[in-house]
Coordinates of all heavy atoms in Angstrom, one line a residue:
M18 N 97.4 179.4 28.6 CA 97.2 180.2 27.3 C 95.9 180.9 27.3 O 94.9 180.4 27.8 CB 97.3 179.2 26.2 CG 97.3 179.8 24.8 SD 97.6 178.6 23.6 CE 97.0 179.4 22.2
A19 N 95.9 182.1 26.8 CA 94.7 182.9 26.8 C 93.6 182.3 25.9 O 93.9 181.5 25.0 CB 95.0 184.3 26.2
K20 N 92.4 182.6 26.2 CA 91.2 182.0 25.5 C 91.2 182.7 24.1 O 91.4 183.8 23.9 CB 89.9 182.3 26.2 CG 89.9 181.7 27.6 CD 89.4 180.3 27.5 CE 89.1 179.8 28.9 NZ 89.0 178.3 29.0
R21 N 90.8 181.9 23.1 CA 90.4 182.4 21.8 C 89.4 181.5 21.2 O 89.1 180.4 21.7 CB 91.7 182.6 20.9 CG 92.2 181.4 20.2 CD 92.9 180.5 21.2 NE 93.6 179.4 20.5 CZ 93.0 178.2 20.3 NH1 91.7 178.0 20.6 NH2 93.6 177.2 19.7
V22 N 88.9 181.8 20.0 CA 87.9 181.0 19.3 C 88.6 180.4 18.1 O 89.3 181.1 17.3 CB 86.7 181.9 18.9 CG1 85.7 181.0 18.1 CG2 86.0 182.4 20.1
E23 N 88.3 179.1 17.9 CA 88.7 178.4 16.7 C 87.5 177.6 16.1 O 87.1 176.7 16.8 CB 89.9 177.5 17.0 CG 90.5 176.8 15.7 CD 91.5 177.8 15.0 OE1 92.5 178.2 15.7 OE2 91.2 178.1 13.9
A24 N 86.9 178.1 15.1 CA 85.8 177.5 14.4 C 86.2 176.8 13.1 O 86.9 177.5 12.3 CB 84.6 178.4 14.2
T25 N 85.9 175.6 13.0 CA 86.4 174.8 11.8 C 85.2 174.1 11.2 O 84.6 173.2 11.8 CB 87.5 173.9 12.1 OG1 88.5 174.5 12.8 CG2 88.1 173.3 10.8
G26 N 84.8 174.5 10.0 CA 83.7 173.8 9.3 C 82.4 173.8 10.1 O 81.7 172.7 10.1
V27 N 82.1 174.9 10.7 CA 80.8 174.9 11.6 C 79.6 175.1 10.7 O 79.5 176.1 9.9 CB 80.9 176.0 12.6 CG1 79.6 176.1 13.4 CG2 82.1 175.7 13.6
T28 N 78.7 174.1 10.8 CA 77.4 174.1 10.1 C 76.3 173.9 11.1 O 76.5 173.1 12.0 CB 77.4 173.0 9.1 OG1 78.5 173.2 8.1 CG2 76.1 172.9 8.3
A29 N 75.3 174.7 11.1 CA 74.2 174.6 12.1 C 72.9 174.5 11.4 O 72.6 175.2 10.4 CB 74.2 175.8 13.0
Y30 N 72.0 173.7 11.9 CA 70.7 173.4 11.4 C 69.6 173.7 12.4 O 69.8 173.6 13.6 CB 70.6 171.9 11.1 CG 71.5 171.4 10.0 CD1 72.8 170.9 10.4 CD2 71.1 171.2 8.7 CE1 73.6 170.4 9.4 CE2 71.9 170.7 7.7 CZ 73.2 170.3 8.1 OH 74.0 169.8 7.1
Y31 N 68.5 174.2 11.9 CA 67.2 174.2 12.6 C 66.4 173.1 11.9 O 65.9 173.3 10.8 CB 66.5 175.5 12.5 CG 67.3 176.7 13.1 CD1 68.1 177.5 12.4 CD2 67.1 177.0 14.5 CE1 68.8 178.5 13.0 CE2 67.8 178.0 15.1 CZ 68.7 178.8 14.3 OH 69.4 179.8 14.9
G32 N 66.3 172.0 12.5 CA 65.6 170.8 11.9 C 66.4 170.5 10.6 O 67.6 170.3 10.7
S33 N 65.8 170.5 9.5 CA 66.4 170.2 8.2 C 67.0 171.4 7.5 O 67.7 171.4 6.5 CB 65.5 169.4 7.2 OG 64.4 170.3 7.0
F34 N 66.7 172.6 8.1 CA 67.1 173.9 7.5 C 68.5 174.2 7.9 O 68.8 174.3 9.1 CB 66.2 175.0 7.9 CG 66.6 176.4 7.4 CD1 66.6 176.7 6.1 CD2 67.1 177.3 8.3 CE1 67.0 177.9 5.6 CE2 67.6 178.6 7.8 CZ 67.5 178.9 6.5
K35 N 69.4 174.3 6.9 CA 70.8 174.7 7.2 C 71.0 176.2 7.3 O 70.8 176.9 6.2 CB 71.7 174.1 6.1 CG 73.2 174.2 6.4 CD 74.0 173.9 5.2 CE 74.1 172.4 4.9 NZ 75.0 172.0 3.8
A36 N 71.2 176.7 8.5 CA 71.3 178.2 8.6 C 72.6 178.7 8.4 O 72.8 179.9 7.9 CB 70.8 178.5 10.1
I37 N 73.7 178.0 8.8 CA 75.1 178.4 8.5 C 75.8 177.2 7.9 O 75.6 176.1 8.3 CB 75.8 179.1 9.7 CG1 75.8 178.1 10.9 CG2 75.2 180.4 10.0 CD1 76.7 178.6 12.0
D38 N 76.7 177.5 7.0 CA 77.3 176.4 6.2 C 78.9 176.5 6.2 O 79.4 177.5 5.6 CB 76.8 176.4 4.8 CG 77.2 175.2 4.0 OD1 77.8 174.3 4.5 OD2 77.1 175.3 2.7
N39 N 79.5 175.6 6.9 CA 81.0 175.5 6.8 C 81.7 176.8 7.1 O 82.5 177.3 6.3 CB 81.4 175.0 5.4 CG 82.8 174.6 5.3 OD1 83.4 174.1 6.3 ND2 83.4 174.7 4.1
I40 N 81.5 177.3 8.4 CA 82.1 178.6 8.8 C 83.5 178.3 9.4 O 83.6 177.4 10.3 CB 81.2 179.3 9.8 CG1 79.8 179.6 9.2 CG2 81.9 180.6 10.3 CD1 79.8 180.5 8.0
N41 N 84.5 179.0 9.0 CA 85.8 178.9 9.6 C 86.2 180.3 10.1 O 86.1 181.2 9.4 CB 86.9 178.4 8.5 CG 86.5 177.1 8.0 OD1 86.6 176.1 8.7 ND2 86.1 177.0 6.7
L42 N 86.6 180.3 11.4 CA 87.0 181.6 12.0 C 88.0 181.4 13.1 O 87.8 180.5 14.0 CB 85.7 182.3 12.6 CG 86.0 183.6 13.3 CD1 86.3 184.7 12.3 CD2 84.9 184.0 14.2
H43 N 89.0 182.2 13.0 CA 90.1 182.1 14.1 C 90.1 183.5 14.8 O 90.2 184.5 14.1 CB 91.4 181.8 13.5 CG 92.6 181.8 14.4 ND1 93.0 180.7 15.1 CD2 93.3 182.9 14.8 CE1 94.0 181.1 15.9 NE2 94.2 182.4 15.7
V44 N 90.0 183.5 16.1 CA 90.1 184.8 16.8 C 91.2 184.7 17.8 O 91.3 183.8 18.6 CB 88.8 185.0 17.6 CG1 88.9 186.3 18.4 CG2 87.6 185.1 16.7
D45 N 92.2 185.6 17.6 CA 93.3 185.6 18.5 C 93.0 186.2 19.8 O 92.1 186.9 20.0 CB 94.4 186.5 17.8 CG 95.2 185.7 16.7 OD1 95.4 184.5 16.8 OD2 95.5 186.4 15.7
P46 N 93.8 185.8 20.9 CA 93.6 186.4 22.2 C 93.8 187.9 22.1 O 94.6 188.4 21.3 CB 94.7 185.8 23.0 CG 95.1 184.5 22.3 CD 94.9 184.8 20.8
K47 N 93.0 188.6 22.9 CA 93.2 190.1 23.1 C 92.9 190.8 21.8 O 93.6 191.8 21.5 CB 94.5 190.4 23.7 CG 94.8 189.8 25.0 CD 96.1 190.2 25.6 CE 96.3 189.5 26.9 NZ 97.7 189.7 27.5
T48 N 92.0 190.3 21.0 CA 91.6 191.0 19.8 C 90.1 191.1 19.8 O 89.4 190.5 20.5 CB 92.0 190.3 18.5 OG1 91.4 189.0 18.5 CG2 93.5 190.1 18.4
V49 N 89.6 192.0 19.0 CA 88.1 192.3 18.8 C 87.7 191.9 17.4 O 88.3 192.3 16.4 CB 87.8 193.7 19.1 CG1 86.3 194.0 18.8 CG2 88.2 194.2 20.5
T50 N 86.6 191.1 17.3 CA 86.1 190.6 16.0 C 84.7 191.0 15.9 O 83.9 190.8 16.9 CB 86.3 189.1 15.9 OG1 87.7 188.8 15.9 CG2 85.7 188.6 14.6
A51 N 84.3 191.6 14.8 CA 82.9 191.9 14.6 C 82.3 191.0 13.5 O 83.0 190.7 12.6 CB 82.7 193.4 14.1
L52 N 81.1 190.5 13.8 CA 80.3 189.8 12.8 C 79.3 190.7 12.1 O 78.5 191.3 12.8 CB 79.6 188.6 13.4 CG 80.4 187.5 14.1 CD1 79.4 186.5 14.7 CD2 81.3 186.8 13.0
I53 N 79.4 190.9 10.8 CA 78.5 191.7 10.1 C 77.9 191.0 9.0 O 78.4 190.0 8.4 CB 79.2 193.0 9.6 CG1 80.3 192.7 8.6 CG2 79.8 193.8 10.7 CD1 80.8 193.9 7.8
G54 N 76.7 191.4 8.5 CA 76.0 190.8 7.4 C 74.5 191.1 7.5 O 74.0 191.6 8.5
P55 N 73.8 190.9 6.4 CA 72.4 191.2 6.3 C 71.6 190.4 7.3 O 72.0 189.3 7.8 CB 72.0 190.9 4.9 CG 73.1 190.0 4.4 CD 74.3 190.3 5.1
S56 N 70.4 190.9 7.6 CA 69.5 190.2 8.5 C 69.2 188.8 8.0 O 68.9 188.6 6.8 CB 68.2 191.0 8.7 OG 67.3 190.3 9.5
G57 N 69.4 187.8 8.9 CA 69.1 186.4 8.5 C 70.2 185.6 8.0 O 70.1 184.5 7.6
C58 N 71.4 186.3 7.9 CA 72.6 185.6 7.3 C 73.2 184.6 8.2 O 74.0 183.7 7.8 CB 73.6 186.5 6.8 SG 74.6 187.3 8.0
G59 N 72.8 184.6 9.5 CA 73.3 183.6 10.5 C 74.3 184.1 11.6 O 74.9 183.3 12.2
K60 N 74.3 185.4 11.8 CA 75.2 185.9 12.8 C 74.9 185.4 14.2 O 75.8 184.9 14.9 CB 75.2 187.5 12.8 CG 75.5 188.1 11.5 CD 75.4 189.6 11.6 CE 73.9 190.1 11.9 NZ 73.0 189.9 10.8
S61 N 73.6 185.5 14.6 CA 73.2 185.0 15.9 C 73.3 183.5 16.0 O 73.7 183.0 17.1 CB 71.8 185.5 16.2 OG 71.7 186.9 16.2
T62 N 73.0 182.8 14.9 CA 73.2 181.4 15.0 C 74.6 181.0 15.2 O 74.9 180.0 16.0 CB 72.7 180.8 13.6 OG1 71.3 181.1 13.5 CG2 72.8 179.2 13.6
F63 N 75.5 181.7 14.6 CA 76.9 181.3 14.7 C 77.4 181.7 16.2 O 78.1 180.9 16.8 CB 77.8 182.1 13.7 CG 79.3 181.8 13.8 CD1 79.7 180.5 13.6 CD2 80.2 182.8 14.1 CE1 81.1 180.2 13.7 CE2 81.5 182.5 14.1 CZ 82.0 181.2 14.0
L64 N 77.0 182.8 16.7 CA 77.3 183.2 18.1 C 76.8 182.2 19.1 O 77.4 181.8 20.0 CB 76.8 184.6 18.4 CG 77.6 185.8 17.9 CD1 76.9 187.1 18.2 CD2 79.0 185.7 18.4
R65 N 75.5 181.8 18.8 CA 74.9 180.8 19.7 C 75.7 179.4 19.6 O 75.8 178.7 20.6 CB 73.4 180.6 19.4 CG 72.6 181.7 20.0 CD 71.1 181.3 20.1 NE 70.5 181.0 18.7 CZ 70.0 182.0 18.0 NH1 69.8 183.2 18.4 NH2 69.5 181.7 16.8
S66 N 76.2 179.1 18.4 CA 77.0 177.9 18.3 C 78.2 178.0 19.1 O 78.6 177.0 19.8 CB 77.3 177.6 16.8 OG 76.1 177.5 16.1
I67 N 78.9 179.1 19.1 CA 80.1 179.3 19.9 C 79.8 179.1 21.3 O 80.6 178.5 22.1 CB 80.8 180.7 19.6 CG1 81.3 180.8 18.1 CG2 81.9 181.0 20.6 CD1 81.7 182.2 17.8
N68 N 78.7 179.7 21.8 CA 78.3 179.7 23.2 C 77.7 178.3 23.6 O 77.3 178.2 24.8 CB 77.4 180.8 23.5 CG 78.0 182.2 23.4 OD1 79.2 182.3 23.6 ND2 77.3 183.2 23.1
R69 N 77.6 177.4 22.7 CA 77.0 176.1 22.9 C 75.5 176.3 23.3 O 74.9 175.4 24.0 CB 77.7 175.4 24.1 CG 79.2 175.2 23.9 CD 79.5 174.1 23.0 NE 80.9 173.9 22.8 CZ 81.5 173.4 21.8 NH1 80.8 173.0 20.7 NH2 82.8 173.3 21.7
M70 N 74.9 177.4 22.8 CA 73.4 177.5 23.1 C 72.6 177.0 22.0 O 71.4 176.8 22.2 CB 73.2 179.0 23.4 CG 73.8 179.5 24.7 SD 73.6 181.3 24.8 CE 71.8 181.4 25.1
H71 N 73.2 176.8 20.8 CA 72.4 176.4 19.7 C 71.9 174.9 19.9 O 70.8 174.6 19.6 CB 73.2 176.5 18.4 CG 72.4 176.1 17.1 ND1 71.4 177.0 16.6 CD2 72.4 175.0 16.4 CE1 70.8 176.4 15.6 NE2 71.4 175.2 15.4
E72 N 72.8 174.1 20.4 CA 72.5 172.7 20.5 C 71.5 172.4 21.6 O 71.0 171.2 21.6 CB 73.8 171.9 20.8 CG 74.6 172.4 22.0 CD 76.1 172.1 22.0 OE1 76.8 172.7 21.1 OE2 76.5 171.3 22.7
V73 N 71.1 173.3 22.4 CA 70.0 173.1 23.4 C 68.6 173.3 22.8 O 67.7 173.0 23.5 CB 70.2 173.8 24.7 CG1 71.6 173.5 25.3 CG2 70.1 175.3 24.5
L74 N 68.6 173.9 21.6 CA 67.3 174.1 21.0 C 66.7 172.8 20.5 O 67.5 172.1 19.8 CB 67.4 175.1 19.8 CG 67.5 176.6 20.1 CD1 67.7 177.3 18.8 CD2 66.3 177.1 20.7
P75 N 65.5 172.5 20.7 CA 64.9 171.3 20.2 C 65.0 171.2 18.7 O 64.6 172.2 18.0 CB 63.5 171.3 20.7 CG 63.5 172.2 21.9 CD 64.5 173.2 21.6
G76 N 65.5 170.2 18.1 CA 65.6 170.0 16.7 C 66.8 170.7 16.0 O 67.1 170.5 14.9
A77 N 67.6 171.4 16.8 CA 68.7 172.1 16.3 C 70.0 171.3 16.5 O 70.1 170.6 17.5 CB 68.8 173.5 16.9
R78 N 71.0 171.4 15.6 CA 72.2 170.8 15.8 C 73.4 171.5 15.1 O 73.1 172.3 14.2 CB 72.2 169.3 15.4 CG 72.1 169.1 13.9 CD 72.0 167.6 13.6 NE 72.4 167.3 12.2 CZ 71.6 167.5 11.1 NH1 70.4 167.9 11.3 NH2 72.1 167.2 9.9
V79 N 74.6 171.2 15.6 CA 75.8 171.9 15.1 C 76.7 170.8 14.6 O 76.9 169.8 15.3 CB 76.4 172.8 16.1 CG1 77.7 173.4 15.6 CG2 75.5 173.8 16.6
E80 N 77.3 171.0 13.5 CA 78.4 170.1 13.0 C 79.7 170.9 12.9 O 79.7 172.1 12.8 CB 78.1 169.5 11.6 CG 76.9 168.6 11.6 CD 76.5 168.2 10.2 OE1 77.0 168.8 9.2 OE2 75.6 167.3 10.1
G81 N 80.8 170.3 12.9 CA 82.1 170.9 12.8 C 82.8 171.0 14.2 O 82.3 170.4 15.1
K82 N 83.8 171.8 14.2 CA 84.7 171.8 15.4 C 84.7 173.2 16.0 O 84.9 174.2 15.2 CB 86.1 171.3 15.1 CG 86.9 171.0 16.3 CD 88.2 170.4 15.9 CE 89.1 170.3 17.1 NZ 90.5 170.2 16.8
L83 N 84.5 173.3 17.3 CA 84.5 174.7 18.0 C 85.3 174.5 19.2 O 85.0 173.8 20.1 CB 83.1 175.1 18.3 CG 82.3 175.9 17.3 CD1 80.9 175.9 17.6 CD2 82.9 177.3 17.1
T84 N 86.5 175.3 19.3 CA 87.3 175.2 20.5 C 87.6 176.7 20.9 O 87.4 177.6 20.1 CB 88.6 174.5 20.3 OG1 89.3 175.0 19.1 CG2 88.3 173.0 20.0
Ligands
ATP9 N1 64.7 179.3 16.1 C1 64.8 179.2 14.8 N2 64.1 178.2 14.1 C2 64.2 178.1 12.7 N3 64.9 178.9 11.9 C3 65.6 179.9 12.6 C4 65.6 180.1 14.0 N4 66.3 181.2 14.3 C5 66.8 181.6 13.1 N5 66.4 180.9 12.1 C6 66.8 181.1 10.7 O1 68.2 180.9 10.5 C7 68.7 181.9 9.6 C8 69.8 182.7 10.4 O2 69.1 183.5 11.4 P1 70.0 184.3 12.4 O3 69.0 184.7 13.4 O4 71.2 183.6 12.9 O5 70.4 185.6 11.5 P2 71.1 187.0 11.9 O6 72.2 187.2 11.0 O7 71.4 187.0 13.4 O8 69.9 188.0 11.6 P3 69.6 189.4 12.3 O9 70.6 190.4 11.7 O10 68.2 189.7 11.9 O11 69.7 189.3 13.8 C9 67.5 182.7 9.1 O12 67.1 182.1 7.9 C10 66.5 182.5 10.2 O13 65.2 182.6 9.7
MG10 MG1 70.8 188.2 15.0

């Protein structure tokens, strides 16, 4: 089966600071999805969570399910 993204209840913290809260996103195979929003709303944090790069930051953690 083709790859796609399924984010369920994704919440990410920098220390005690909650940067994104309960994000749900489904991306179908062979589709394009854009993340838009004002500076600081958490776009990069969410992308880093999908890529498993957020959890390698000291003090940072991710809750929820990402497949
Ligand atoms: N390394 C970090 N340590 C602590 N807080 C951070 C860190 N990186 C981002 N933040 C905070 O997390 C929140 C989300 O930031 P993020 O960089 O994900 O936003 P963004 O939507 O990508 O913004 P931009 O459009 O400016 O790229 C902001 O409040 C930001 O200050
Ligand atoms: Mg960014």
Side-chain angles (χ1 to χ4, degrees):
M18 189 174 158
K20 300 273 187 196
R21 82 287 186 266
V22 174
E23 186 80 60
T25 309
V27 173
T28 299
Y30 296 86
Y31 296 93
S33 61
F34 175 70
K35 187 189 286 186
I37 56 174
D38 185 13
N39 193 29
I40 304 297
N41 299 291
L42 176 74
H43 174 93
V44 179
D45 282 323
K47 300 181 183 173
T48 62
V49 176
T50 297
L52 294 179
I53 63 170
S56 179
C58 75
K60 303 176 298 290
S61 294
T62 301
F63 183 59
L64 282 177
R65 282 199 296 271
S66 300
I67 292 173
N68 293 332
R69 308 278 181 207
M70 291 174 69
H71 185 73
E72 57 207 65
V73 303
L74 282 176
R78 70 180 200 279
V79 180
E80 295 173 349
K82 193 173 174 203
L83 273 164
T84 54

